[in-house]
Amino acid sequence: MSELNETVLVTGGAGYIGSHTCVELLQSGRKVIVLDNLSNASKASIEAVEQITQKKLPIIEGDIRDRVALDQVFSKNSISSVLHFAGLKAVGESNEFPLKYYDNNVNGTLNLIESMTAHDCKTLVFSSSATVYGIPEKMPLTEDSDVGAINPYGRTKLLVEEMLKDLYAADPEWRVSLLRYFNPVGAHASGEIGEDPNDIPNNLLPFISQVAVGRLDKLQVFGDDYDTADGTGVRDYIHVVDLARGHLAALDYLEPAPKLGIHNLGTGQGYSVLEAVNAFEQASGRSIPYEVSARRPGDAATSYADPTKAREELNWQAKYDLQKMCEDAWRWQSKHPMGYGS
Ligand code: NAD
Ligand code: UFG
């Protein structure tokens, strides 16, 4: 495979999903360079990836909105493809500061693809999200389900998807993979890299982990009156290592010929908030106190993927179940109670 001799540029590679993907890329024999402005990550993740893989992972501290920095990366290295994770991802913050999100996520991606075009690098894997399905009506979600984001963050993902589709229509030499992630959780089995939210976590699993380790008192369960088996919200949690491997599958899918593909990366299995709490209690041996509070505005009752298209076209499927996700999340959290700052 030609890609093995060339370098993969990973934007946002110091972050949660990017760092796990770097492990898989390095372990597959690829050369990798990270570009990250460290706005939501630290270099400690890069060092941990080097430790796990026993390979070098060069990082350029730079911003995808900086065209000069990008051009330098492409001129100095033979970049065959870009895995594009860099972006902001907090839904609540995107309501408060929408322009920050449009600038980082949309403008940043536009800048990246302009620089790629100028350097004739036309292979891109983009981190999209199940959030593009909005408040969905029918389960499971297929790639043909209606889209319609309900917050600025989601709209930035949809806009970038549309921009990349227009780019491919105008120049079919591009190879573009749009990966719609469901709910990434868990950590590398070593417990040396994992999710390390800056403030109080917005998402369920990191919140539960911090309750288990004693950083937070109790979980608020956002509503128990949904139309689900136990009344709490149902999501398709996917182990971050499975997700990371999906990116290597996407690169292989793009290899033979130019194309644009859209794929859900999920397990196809939904779990409720209370099922996640139970699984985490078992994995950690700790009890997770919780109380039920009001629904969180904008939350869907249920969201899970139909993973068939990814299985058939990417030759990829998730291997790990919720128990393994919780065990690995707990290993990371208990070894590093304060995240990378521990
Ligand atoms: P993360 O915040 O851990 O990683 C993003 C990385 O990008 C960080 O290291 C950050 O420092 C960097 N970054 C941000 N803006 C940048 C910029 N302008 N220039 C250079 N670097 C920049 O987030 P993550 O969970 O690893 O998510 C990765 C991608 O996947 C994001 O695009 C996110 O929107 C998408 N996604 C995440 C989830 C999720 O639940 N974690 C779900 C769906 C999609
Ligand atoms: N939940 C709680 N208490 C919490 C946090 C969450 O009960 O403290 C519940 C939510 O109501 C929901 C479920 O747990 O039912 C999962 O919530 P998350 O915040 O973990 O995940 P979401 O599905 O709401 O959203 C996440 C990301 C989005 C992304 C989406 C799909 O935050 O950015 O997954 O990938 F778009």
Side-chain angles (χ1 to χ4, degrees), residues 15-17 36-37 39-41 63-64 85 89 104 153 157:
Y16 172 47
I17 304 169
D36 198 304
N37 67 1
S39 59
N40 195 35
D63 198 295
I64 51 166
F85 297 96
K89 62 166 183 177
N104 236 284
Y153 166 69
K157 291 295 176 192

Side-chain angles (χ1 to χ4, degrees), residues 129 131 153 181-183 203-204 220 222 235 237 296 299:
S129 167
T131 197
Y153 166 69
Y181 310 158
F182 279 69
N183 291 55
N203 300 117
L204 180 66
Q220 300 291 327
F222 297 145
R235 294 291 182 277
Y237 299 100
R296 184 171 62 178
D299 272 358

Side-chain angles (χ1 to χ4, degrees), residues 137-151:
E137 284 179 2
K138 236 177 79 204
M139 289 298 138
L141 289 158
T142 72
E143 291 78 356
D144 292 329
S145 295
D146 289 344
V147 294
I150 57 161
N151 53 59

Side-chain angles (χ1 to χ4, degrees), residues 11-19 35-42 45 62-65 84-90 103-105 108 126-131 153 157 179-185 195-196 203 243:
T11 74
Y16 172 47
I17 304 169
S19 57
L35 176 80
D36 198 304
N37 67 1
L38 301 181
S39 59
N40 195 35
S42 85
S45 66
D63 198 295
I64 51 166
R65 291 164 297 176
H84 177 34
F85 297 96
L88 301 177
K89 62 166 183 177
D103 184 33
N104 236 284
N105 295 3
F126 173 63
S127 302
S128 190
S129 167
T131 197
Y153 166 69
K157 291 295 176 192
L179 298 179
R180 293 177 176 164
Y181 310 158
F182 279 69
N183 291 55
V185 299
E195 191 166 9
D196 184 16
N203 300 117
L243 189 73

Side-chain angles (χ1 to χ4, degrees), residues 32-313:
V32 183
I33 292 183
V34 167
L35 176 80
D36 198 304
N37 67 1
L38 301 181
S39 59
N40 195 35
S42 85
K43 274 191 185 164
S45 66
I46 300 287
E47 287 157 18
V49 170
E50 291 184 327
Q51 198 67 35
I52 291 167
T53 58
Q54 292 295 302
K55 295 193 172 160
K56 281 276 158 223
L57 180 56
I59 171 167
I60 296 155
E61 252 183 85
D63 198 295
I64 51 166
R65 291 164 297 176
D66 179 350
R67 179 66 193 268
V68 175
L70 281 176
D71 284 343
Q72 271 184 12
V73 176
F74 284 104
S75 329
K76 287 189 182 157
N77 302 280
S78 167
I79 308 280
S80 57
S81 51
V82 179
L83 300 190
H84 177 34
F85 297 96
L88 301 177
K89 62 166 183 177
V91 171
E93 189 193 43
S94 81
N95 284 314
E96 229 180 310
F97 304 107
L99 299 188
K100 187 173 161 186
Y101 275 68
Y102 285 104
D103 184 33
N104 236 284
N105 295 3
V106 182
N107 188 28
T109 304
L110 175 59
N111 204 40
L112 172 68
I113 56 185
E114 279 175 347
S115 182
M116 290 177 70
T117 307
H119 294 87
D120 204 30
C121 172
K122 295 187 174 178
T123 302
L124 178 70
V125 179
F126 173 63
S127 302
S128 190
S129 167
T131 197
V132 300
Y133 296 116
I135 299 283
E137 284 179 2
K138 236 177 79 204
M139 289 298 138
L141 289 158
T142 72
E143 291 78 356
D144 292 329
S145 295
D146 289 344
V147 294
I150 57 161
N151 53 59
Y153 166 69
R155 276 185 281 278
T156 67
K157 291 295 176 192
L158 265 185
L159 277 172
V160 171
E161 286 199 0
E162 293 303 322
M163 183 161 79
L164 292 170
K165 285 187 211 163
D166 286 340
L167 175 68
Y168 176 74
D171 178 358
E173 279 181 12
W174 275 83
R175 296 157 200 257
V176 179
S177 165
L178 308 178
L179 298 179
R180 293 177 176 164
Y181 310 158
F182 279 69
N183 291 55
V185 299
H188 188 263
S190 64
E192 297 305 332
I193 53 174
E195 191 166 9
D196 184 16
N198 263 338
D199 302 312
I200 295 179
N202 298 310
N203 300 117
L204 180 66
L205 256 289
F207 200 108
I208 293 178
S209 306
Q210 292 196 12
V211 172
V213 85
R215 280 173 69 176
L216 295 168
D217 288 343
K218 64 176 166 221
L219 172 72
Q220 300 291 327
V221 174
F222 297 145
D224 67 352
D225 55 353
Y226 285 107
D227 185 16
T228 61
D230 64 19
T232 65
V234 168
R235 294 291 182 277
D236 186 340
Y237 299 100
I238 173 167
H239 197 295
V240 66
V241 171
D242 274 330
L243 189 73
R245 291 176 183 155
H247 294 73
L248 276 68
L251 285 177
D252 289 346
Y253 160 80
L254 295 176
E255 161 94 7
K259 55 176 90 71
L260 180 141
I262 304 180
H263 296 96
N264 286 338
L265 295 187
T267 65
Q269 167 82 50
Y271 290 100
S272 73
V273 174
L274 295 182
E275 284 174 315
V277 168
N278 282 334
F280 208 95
E281 285 183 329
Q282 281 192 28
S284 64
R286 307 264 175 113
S287 84
I288 311 292
Y290 69 84
E291 68 186 18
V292 176
S293 58
R295 291 182 179 194
R296 184 171 62 178
D299 272 358
T302 303
S303 164
Y304 58 90
D306 180 339
T308 310
K309 192 170 177 228
R311 191 176 64 235
E312 290 179 355
E313 294 186 354

